[in-house]
Amino acid sequence: MSIDYSAVPRMPDGRTALETIEAVAATARTVKVPMGPRSAGGNGQQMWHIWGEGSGKPALLLFHGGSGSWIHWIRNVQPLSQHFTVYAYDAPGLGDSDPPDDVRDIWSVTHCVDHAVRELLPKDEKFFLTGFSFGGMVSGHLATLMPERIRRIVFVGAGGLKATRKPTEKLHKLLPTMAPQVLADEARRNLELLMLHDPKNVDGVAIHMQIMNTTRAKTRSRDMGIAGALSNVLPQVKTPFTGIWGEFDSTTYPYIQERIDLFTALQPDFRMHLIPGAGHWVAYEAADAFNAKLLEVLR
């Protein structure tokens, strides 16, 4: 069923949200990469957007959050491509990627990603990895399968940690059958509750992204987060890791020290970097500060 996006507000420059998204996507090369078994048939495909291909710059892989797509990085990919060859995936069962065998199992997702990365990059190429929210869970698991390939992991508001979280209102399910204004209003509400700290930062691209990605999501990332997927695997991760969090991340605030203690217990030189005034989707809400901090960390 087609979705009516007519109630999504235009951007300040007059463009629609979709026009803004497509303009950034047009600066990348898109490729669908085999991601291994759908149970041995091997016909699953994963979507990747690549910026700066052939530049000779180090590889940086960006893993988006739950019920998301590469669009979670829309304000980051072009600035980061000045310093890296940027590879932004759509996770299995999200965005434009085919689902894994088991949409509720983090290992099923990770094995698909592992297969795709080995197809995408030369076998001797090392890379940096940045994982946002659900992408942090996948990053941690992937690090146990190819520890020799990953230079550093940057966890961004990572999910799947067995740590205290403040109760919040439940998100509302977005349905393609909703009236356009209802759909846009519900998407805005969800973004304000979970993703962005300042309601003024909820714009057309954020609303369009939320509607488009959540209505087509197949992989059940929230189930994996509730199960503590990242905490379960983190003790096995030997790759150096760093954290970047929004100061008011709705999945963490006010319990950030608990996360710092958890990470530091495993890697004593771990550093957590907080971006002032930002929420969970820090890479969007405070893009300039986030980009600068990520570049600093990866240097």
Side-chain angles (χ1 to χ4, degrees), residues 81 150-151 186 200 210 214 234 236 239 251 253 257 262:
S81 70
I150 305 173
R151 296 179 173 188
E186 293 287 15
K200 294 194 301 292
Q210 191 75 358
T214 58
L234 208 52
Q236 304 166 41
T239 303
T251 71
Y253 184 82
Q257 188 61 48
L262 186 156

Side-chain angles (χ1 to χ4, degrees), residues 250-271:
S250 63
T251 71
T252 300
Y253 184 82
Y255 304 107
I256 188 63
Q257 188 61 48
E258 190 175 342
R259 273 75 173 173
I260 295 171
D261 293 344
L262 186 156
F263 286 122
T264 306
L266 297 170
Q267 292 192 8
D269 60 350
F270 170 83
R271 288 196 63 193

Side-chain angles (χ1 to χ4, degrees), residues 102-141:
D102 186 345
V103 297
R104 288 181 169 82
D105 179 56
I106 186 67
W107 281 114
S108 185
V109 170
T110 303
H111 284 299
C112 288
V113 176
D114 175 69
H115 191 282
V117 169
R118 294 177 193 276
E119 289 277 336
L120 187 66
L121 298 179
K123 64 181 180 180
D124 59 345
E125 183 172 2
K126 295 184 178 183
F127 56 88
F128 295 101
L129 179 54
T130 298
F132 166 52
S133 197
F134 171 59
M137 293 188 244
V138 181
S139 298
H141 285 73

Side-chain angles (χ1 to χ4, degrees), residues 40-56:
N43 55 358
Q45 300 281 313
Q46 184 177 29
M47 173 65 84
W48 291 78
H49 285 71
I50 308 169
W51 284 264
E53 191 173 31
S55 66

Side-chain angles (χ1 to χ4, degrees), residues 198-241:
D198 189 338
K200 294 194 301 292
N201 293 327
V202 179
D203 61 10
V205 166
I207 292 170
H208 189 106
M209 179 282 303
Q210 191 75 358
I211 295 170
M212 180 168 65
N213 285 336
T214 58
T215 54
R216 61 182 174 168
K218 298 180 178 66
T219 292
R220 302 296 293 271
S221 52
R222 185 171 180 274
D223 295 351
M224 303 171 201
I226 291 171
L230 183 55
S231 284
N232 292 339
V233 79
L234 208 52
Q236 304 166 41
V237 176
K238 305 309 176 188
T239 303
F241 50 70

Side-chain angles (χ1 to χ4, degrees), residues 36-97:
R38 273 197 64 83
S39 286
N43 55 358
Q45 300 281 313
Q46 184 177 29
M47 173 65 84
W48 291 78
H49 285 71
I50 308 169
W51 284 264
E53 191 173 31
S55 66
K57 295 171 184 173
L60 170 61
L61 275 58
L62 301 177
F63 289 2
H64 63 75
S67 297
S69 72
W70 75 270
I71 302 169
H72 277 169
W73 305 108
I74 191 168
R75 290 182 172 174
N76 318 109
V77 287
Q78 291 174 313
L80 293 174
S81 70
Q82 301 303 308
H83 306 271
F84 296 94
T85 304
V86 175
Y87 299 82
Y89 81 176
D90 284 358
L94 300 175
D96 288 317
S97 292

Side-chain angles (χ1 to χ4, degrees), residues 44 58 95 123 168 276 290:
K123 64 181 180 180
T168 58
F290 174 84

